[in-house]
Amino acid sequence: NVFRAHTHHRKGAIKFRPVDAAERTTYIQGVIKSLDHDPGRGAPIAKLVFQKPDGKGLESNYIIAPEGVHTGQVIRCGPEAGLHVGNVLPVGQIPEGAEINNVEHHPGDGGRYGRCSGDSCRVITHSDDGYTRIQLPSGRKVIVSSNCRACLGVVAGGGGCPYPGNCCGMYTPVCPVGCGGACVCGTK
Protein backbone atom coordinates (compact mmCIF):
# COMPACT_ATOMS: atom_id res chain seq x y z
CA ASN A 1 0.00 0.00 0.00
CA VAL A 2 1.07 3.56 -0.59
CA PHE A 3 1.07 5.89 2.41
CA ARG A 4 -1.60 8.58 2.29
CA ALA A 5 -1.47 11.55 4.64
CA HIS A 6 -4.57 11.81 6.79
CA THR A 7 -5.54 15.42 6.18
CA HIS A 8 -9.32 15.14 6.35
CA HIS A 9 -9.77 16.89 9.69
CA ARG A 10 -7.21 19.67 9.15
CA LYS A 11 -8.53 23.14 9.96
CA GLY A 12 -7.11 24.97 6.93
CA ALA A 13 -4.14 27.11 5.99
CA ILE A 14 -2.21 28.31 9.02
CA LYS A 15 -0.74 31.64 7.93
CA PHE A 16 -1.09 35.39 8.29
CA ARG A 17 -3.98 37.12 6.56
CA PRO A 18 -3.24 38.88 3.26
CA VAL A 19 -1.78 42.36 3.68
CA ASP A 20 -4.20 45.21 2.97
CA ALA A 21 -3.89 48.99 3.10
CA ALA A 22 -4.91 49.23 6.77
CA GLU A 23 -2.29 46.72 7.86
CA ARG A 24 0.36 48.37 5.70
CA THR A 25 -0.05 51.83 7.28
CA THR A 26 -1.37 51.57 10.86
CA TYR A 27 -2.76 48.33 12.28
CA ILE A 28 -5.86 46.17 12.30
CA GLN A 29 -7.07 44.20 15.27
CA GLY A 30 -8.70 40.86 15.69
CA VAL A 31 -9.88 38.71 18.59
CA ILE A 32 -8.82 35.16 19.41
CA LYS A 33 -12.07 33.19 19.34
CA SER A 34 -10.63 29.74 20.08
CA LEU A 35 -7.44 27.77 20.60
CA ASP A 36 -7.63 24.50 18.68
CA HIS A 37 -5.65 21.37 17.90
CA ASP A 38 -4.78 20.72 14.27
CA PRO A 39 -4.26 17.02 13.40
CA GLY A 40 -0.70 16.36 12.30
CA ARG A 41 0.66 19.43 14.09
CA GLY A 42 2.18 19.61 17.56
CA ALA A 43 1.62 23.31 18.12
CA PRO A 44 -1.85 24.62 18.96
CA ILE A 45 -3.50 27.05 16.58
CA ALA A 46 -5.52 30.18 17.30
CA LYS A 47 -8.62 31.22 15.37
CA LEU A 48 -8.54 34.99 14.81
CA VAL A 49 -11.63 36.93 13.79
CA PHE A 50 -11.19 40.28 12.01
CA GLN A 51 -13.66 42.75 10.60
CA LYS A 52 -13.59 42.74 6.80
CA PRO A 53 -11.77 45.68 5.19
CA ASP A 54 -15.02 47.01 3.71
CA GLY A 55 -16.62 46.93 7.18
CA LYS A 56 -19.35 44.46 6.21
CA GLY A 57 -19.07 41.22 8.12
CA LEU A 58 -16.28 39.24 9.71
CA GLU A 59 -13.44 37.14 8.34
CA SER A 60 -11.44 34.54 10.21
CA ASN A 61 -8.13 32.81 9.78
CA TYR A 62 -5.85 30.54 11.77
CA ILE A 63 -2.38 31.40 13.05
CA ILE A 64 0.08 29.42 15.14
CA ALA A 65 -0.59 30.20 18.80
CA PRO A 66 2.30 31.72 20.78
CA GLU A 67 2.76 30.89 24.46
CA GLY A 68 0.68 33.09 26.73
CA VAL A 69 -2.23 33.98 24.45
CA HIS A 70 -5.81 33.25 25.52
CA THR A 71 -9.29 33.36 24.08
CA GLY A 72 -10.73 36.85 23.99
CA GLN A 73 -7.30 38.47 23.64
CA VAL A 74 -7.03 41.29 21.12
CA ILE A 75 -4.28 40.75 18.54
CA ARG A 76 -3.02 43.70 16.49
CA CYS A 77 -1.39 43.34 13.08
CA GLY A 78 0.59 46.17 11.49
CA PRO A 79 3.61 48.43 11.93
CA GLU A 80 2.00 50.44 14.74
CA ALA A 81 0.95 47.42 16.82
CA GLY A 82 2.47 47.30 20.29
CA LEU A 83 5.23 44.92 21.39
CA HIS A 84 2.98 42.36 23.08
CA VAL A 85 3.00 38.59 22.73
CA GLY A 86 0.80 37.53 19.82
CA ASN A 87 0.93 40.80 17.88
CA VAL A 88 2.09 40.64 14.26
CA LEU A 89 4.58 43.28 13.09
CA PRO A 90 7.04 43.79 10.24
CA VAL A 91 10.44 42.48 11.38
CA GLY A 92 11.91 45.94 10.77
CA GLN A 93 9.75 47.28 13.63
CA ILE A 94 10.76 44.54 16.11
CA PRO A 95 13.73 45.34 18.40
CA GLU A 96 16.94 43.33 18.14
CA GLY A 97 17.05 40.30 20.41
CA ALA A 98 13.27 39.76 20.43
CA GLU A 99 11.85 36.23 20.20
CA ILE A 100 9.54 35.86 17.18
CA ASN A 101 7.79 33.02 15.35
CA ASN A 102 6.12 32.34 12.00
CA VAL A 103 8.53 34.63 10.15
CA GLU A 104 7.84 35.31 6.47
CA HIS A 105 10.59 34.59 3.93
CA HIS A 106 9.10 36.96 1.34
CA PRO A 107 6.65 39.75 2.26
CA GLY A 108 3.10 38.40 2.16
CA ASP A 109 3.86 34.65 1.99
CA GLY A 110 2.12 33.92 5.31
CA GLY A 111 5.08 32.69 7.38
CA ARG A 112 7.83 30.11 6.83
CA TYR A 113 10.28 30.04 9.76
CA GLY A 114 9.81 29.11 13.44
CA ARG A 115 6.47 27.27 13.25
CA CYS A 116 7.07 24.09 15.31
CA SER A 117 6.14 23.55 18.97
CA GLY A 118 8.39 25.52 21.29
CA ASP A 119 10.34 27.13 18.43
CA SER A 120 11.27 30.76 18.05
CA CYS A 121 13.56 32.87 15.91
CA ARG A 122 15.59 35.81 17.11
CA VAL A 123 16.09 39.21 15.48
CA ILE A 124 19.86 39.68 15.21
CA THR A 125 20.29 43.03 13.47
CA HIS A 126 18.65 45.53 11.14
CA SER A 127 20.50 46.99 8.18
CA ASP A 128 20.04 50.39 6.57
CA ASP A 129 19.17 48.92 3.16
CA GLY A 130 15.82 47.45 4.30
CA TYR A 131 16.86 43.97 5.39
CA THR A 132 16.91 42.19 8.75
CA ARG A 133 19.08 39.27 9.87
CA ILE A 134 17.15 36.55 11.70
CA GLN A 135 18.54 33.56 13.62
CA LEU A 136 16.46 30.42 13.02
CA PRO A 137 15.80 27.73 15.67
CA SER A 138 18.54 25.60 14.05
CA GLY A 139 21.09 28.37 14.59
CA ARG A 140 21.30 29.24 10.90
CA LYS A 141 21.05 32.94 10.08
CA VAL A 142 18.97 34.25 7.18
CA ILE A 143 18.43 37.73 5.78
CA VAL A 144 14.82 38.73 5.08
CA SER A 145 13.18 41.95 3.99
CA SER A 146 12.27 44.29 6.84
CA ASN A 147 8.71 44.29 5.44
CA CYS A 148 8.29 40.58 6.20
CA ARG A 149 5.89 39.98 9.09
CA ALA A 150 6.44 37.93 12.24
CA CYS A 151 4.47 37.13 15.37
CA LEU A 152 5.96 38.08 18.74
CA GLY A 153 6.64 35.27 21.20
CA VAL A 154 7.54 31.59 21.30
CA VAL A 155 5.30 28.95 19.70
CA ALA A 156 3.13 27.20 22.31
CA GLY A 157 3.17 23.45 22.83
CA GLY A 158 6.85 23.09 23.70
CA GLY A 159 8.10 21.25 26.75
CA GLY A 160 6.68 17.68 26.94
CA CYS A 161 8.43 14.66 28.34
CA PRO A 162 12.22 14.86 27.99
CA TYR A 163 12.35 11.09 27.34
CA PRO A 164 9.33 10.36 25.14
CA GLY A 165 8.13 6.79 25.31
CA ASN A 166 10.71 5.58 27.80
CA CYS A 167 10.36 7.08 31.26
CA CYS A 168 6.57 7.03 31.24
CA GLY A 169 6.45 3.23 31.03
CA MET A 170 4.94 3.07 27.54
CA TYR A 171 7.68 0.86 26.07
CA THR A 172 9.97 -0.05 28.95
CA PRO A 173 9.19 0.06 32.66
CA VAL A 174 12.73 1.29 33.46
CA CYS A 175 13.53 4.98 33.34
CA PRO A 176 16.52 5.58 31.01
CA VAL A 177 18.28 7.89 33.46
CA GLY A 178 18.19 5.35 36.29
CA CYS A 179 16.05 7.28 38.72
CA GLY A 180 15.01 4.15 40.60
CA GLY A 181 11.55 3.72 39.05
CA ALA A 182 10.47 7.33 39.61
CA CYS A 183 9.51 9.13 36.44
CA VAL A 184 11.70 12.15 35.72
CA CYS A 185 9.05 14.08 33.81
CA GLY A 186 6.44 13.81 36.60
CA THR A 187 3.69 12.24 34.47
CA LYS A 188 3.68 8.93 36.33
Side-chain angles (χ1 to χ4, degrees):
N1 290 344
V2 177
F3 173 76
R4 292 175 58 181
H6 303 289
T7 58
H8 177 69
H9 295 290
R10 297 263 171 111
K11 305 292 184 200
I14 313 296
K15 58 184 184 178
F16 297 134
R17 64 187 295 278
V19 182
D20 57 5
E23 189 173 352
R24 233 180 258 115
T25 56
T26 58
Y27 68 84
I28 58 165
Q29 63 183 24
V31 177
I32 297 179
K33 285 297 180 186
S34 64
L35 296 171
D36 299 326
H37 169 71
D38 193 25
R41 181 185 304 275
I45 58 176
K47 183 177 185 178
L48 287 177
V49 176
F50 295 96
Q51 189 165 4
K52 287 187 177 178
D54 60 3
K56 299 175 183 169
L58 300 173
E59 65 180 0
S60 65
N61 72 312
Y62 285 99
I63 65 166
I64 296 172
E67 283 185 3
V69 298
H70 54 84
T71 56
Q73 181 175 343
V74 175
I75 299 292
R76 293 187 169 95
C77 304
E80 293 185 7
L83 293 174
H84 301 289
V85 172
N87 285 355
V88 178
L89 289 91
V91 292
Q93 304 291 324
I94 299 173
E96 296 172 359
E99 298 282 337
I100 55 177
N101 67 73
N102 200 18
V103 183
E104 293 180 330
H105 182 68
H106 300 290
D109 70 5
R112 294 290 175 261
Y113 301 126
R115 294 168 56 99
C116 295
S117 305
D119 273 358
S120 67
C121 300
R122 178 169 286 138
V123 177
I124 301 296
T125 185
H126 301 291
S127 65
D128 294 334
D129 58 351
Y131 290 94
T132 300
R133 181 180 289 259
I134 305 287
Q135 182 178 10
L136 302 182
S138 65
R140 179 177 165 224
K141 295 177 179 72
V142 296
I143 296 174
V144 298
S145 169
S146 293
N147 294 327
C148 291
R149 295 174 293 174
C151 184
L152 290 170
V154 178
V155 179
C161 180
Y163 309 102
N166 289 328
C167 75
C168 300
M170 288 187 278
Y171 300 114
T172 60
V174 180
C175 184
V177 295
C179 58
C183 182
V184 175
C185 68
T187 59
K188 191 172 176 187

